[in-house]
Amino acid sequence: MDIDKVFKSLADPSRRRLLDLLHRDNGQTLSALCEHMDMSRQAVTQHLQLLEEANLVAVVWQGREKLHYLNPVPLQEIYERWIGKFERGRLGALRDLKRKLEHDDDKKT
């Protein structure tokens, strides 16, 4: 996975909007996605191409229709590498605080 392509793709609000649309209703055609975007069909196509290159969108041909699907795997990998490790510390601190408060409460009774 080229993480730089993923971050570059996520940096653009129009591409994030496309990912949101696919999250809400996966497997959409270009025409369906264009209905919700305030830009030309060609611009949407270019954004989708960048999302495909970042492996955030997968394409499946169904007859003459090209369906676009959200691929959450790169997002999960970003979460695990860049977000999850920071959350573990906070969750551990909350767990420890809960135990301390419960322990202090047990002493009072």
Side-chain angles (χ1 to χ4, degrees):
M1 177 180 80
D2 187 349
I3 197 140
D4 290 336
K5 286 183 180 181
V6 175
F7 278 113
K8 183 178 178 180
S9 292
L10 294 173
D12 184 273
S14 296
R15 290 190 284 272
R16 291 192 306 268
R17 172 85 173 123
L18 286 167
L19 293 175
D20 287 340
L21 291 170
L22 290 173
H23 180 262
R24 189 175 64 210
D25 184 20
N26 218 2
Q28 294 188 56
T29 63
L30 175 61
S31 296
L33 290 167
C34 286
E35 289 177 15
H36 303 284
M37 301 296 289
D38 189 26
M39 61 180 64
S40 71
R41 184 179 179 92
Q42 181 179 2
V44 174
T45 301
Q46 290 173 346
H47 284 296
L48 285 170
Q49 181 62 40
L50 289 170
L51 291 168
E52 286 179 52
E53 290 172 10
N55 199 27
L56 289 166
V57 168
V59 173
V60 174
W61 284 93
Q62 229 175 34
R64 295 187 306 170
E65 286 189 317
K66 183 178 180 182
L67 301 177
H68 300 85
Y69 290 89
L70 173 65
N71 177 18
V73 173
L75 298 173
Q76 179 63 33
E77 290 173 357
I78 286 172
Y79 174 81
E80 289 172 359
R81 180 174 176 188
W82 297 99
I83 299 168
K85 65 183 175 185
F86 298 107
E87 289 296 312
R88 280 190 292 271
R90 273 196 272 177
L91 292 173
L94 287 173
R95 181 197 62 230
D96 294 344
L97 177 61
K98 178 181 180 277
R99 286 181 183 162
K100 181 176 178 3
L101 292 172
E102 289 173 347
H103 180 71
D104 289 348
D105 193 42
D106 288 343
K107 287 182 178 179
K108 291 178 185 176
T109 57

